[in-house]
Amino acid sequence: MKRWWLLILAAIASVTVLLMAAVPGWSGPQIALSTNPSLNKVVPSKQPISVFLKLDDAGESSEGAAVQVKLLTPPRTPWLTTDFPIVEGTTLLEATVVASDGEAQLQLVPPIRGQYELAAKVVPKVTGAFTPFSETLSFRVPENPEKYRNLLVLLFILGVAGFGGGWVIGGSQSL
């Protein structure tokens, strides 16, 4: 009988912890990331994107806040490098942005495809206004779709050149 009560208490505690983590405001201040245009429409090295960091501070005053931002590029991979491999695994941006009305905005051009890490730390401009907090956000920039088209065109040209060359070289030979 005692075992059942322990299991019930453990289940209640687990559900409470999950609810606290899922409901905004219970788990403390948070930072929401959004972009314009949306990330699935972004082409690396082509167009600038606006990154918006919305501060959900659970009732605390974030009017006078500064956001310290550090943007890291995707890590190096030994298999398929990007078009600009010297940028892989580096710090792309390190800045402090003022969050007016609880929202900070950055504008950047992602140079390569992959998973970017954005470390944001929110600090008050006035000492003691609220407790500083930080969060690490990530977003993914897709590969440029033109690369796949160019690969297919290259493979087609190589196939035609190989077939044509074989026909010219071996066409007059008899078995």
Side-chain angles (χ1 to χ4, degrees):
M1 186 71 172
K2 251 185 178 180
R3 219 179 320 172
W4 288 106
W5 282 109
L6 287 174
L7 286 173
I8 291 172
L9 285 175
I12 291 172
S14 299
V15 168
T16 304
V17 168
L18 286 174
L19 282 176
M20 288 177 70
V23 176
W26 280 14
S27 59
Q30 295 179 341
I31 302 171
L33 178 118
S34 62
T35 62
N36 184 20
S38 65
L39 288 172
N40 57 359
K41 296 178 183 174
V42 172
V43 177
S45 296
K46 294 282 184 179
Q47 65 197 39
I49 62 170
S50 296
V51 178
F52 300 98
L53 300 172
K54 182 161 176 43
L55 309 178
D56 177 21
D57 59 355
E60 295 180 6
S61 173
S62 64
E63 293 293 322
V67 182
Q68 297 170 352
V69 177
K70 186 175 184 180
L71 183 63
L72 303 172
T73 58
R76 293 182 187 268
T77 59
W79 308 113
L80 296 172
T81 63
T82 59
D83 293 339
F84 199 30
I86 198 166
V87 175
E88 293 177 3
T90 61
T91 301
L92 187 62
L93 174 71
E94 201 164 349
T96 301
V97 182
V98 176
S100 58
D101 297 330
E103 186 170 281
Q105 180 181 359
L106 301 168
Q107 198 160 28
L108 57 101
V109 178
I112 57 176
R113 55 127 170 101
Q115 188 79 22
Y116 287 80
E117 296 289 326
L118 188 136
K121 181 177 182 182
V122 180
V123 294
K125 288 172 70 176
V126 177
T127 307
F130 61 88
T131 307
F133 62 94
S134 62
E135 192 168 343
T136 301
L137 307 165
S138 63
F139 61 93
R140 183 161 193 72
V141 174
E143 183 66 85
N144 188 350
E146 291 176 7
K147 289 180 78 173
Y148 298 120
R149 185 201 66 204
N150 293 346
L151 176 65
L152 290 175
V153 168
L154 175 66
L155 290 175
F156 177 75
I157 291 171
L158 288 175
V160 168
F163 182 74
W167 192 341
V168 168
I169 292 171
S172 61
Q173 293 182 1
S174 61
L175 296 175

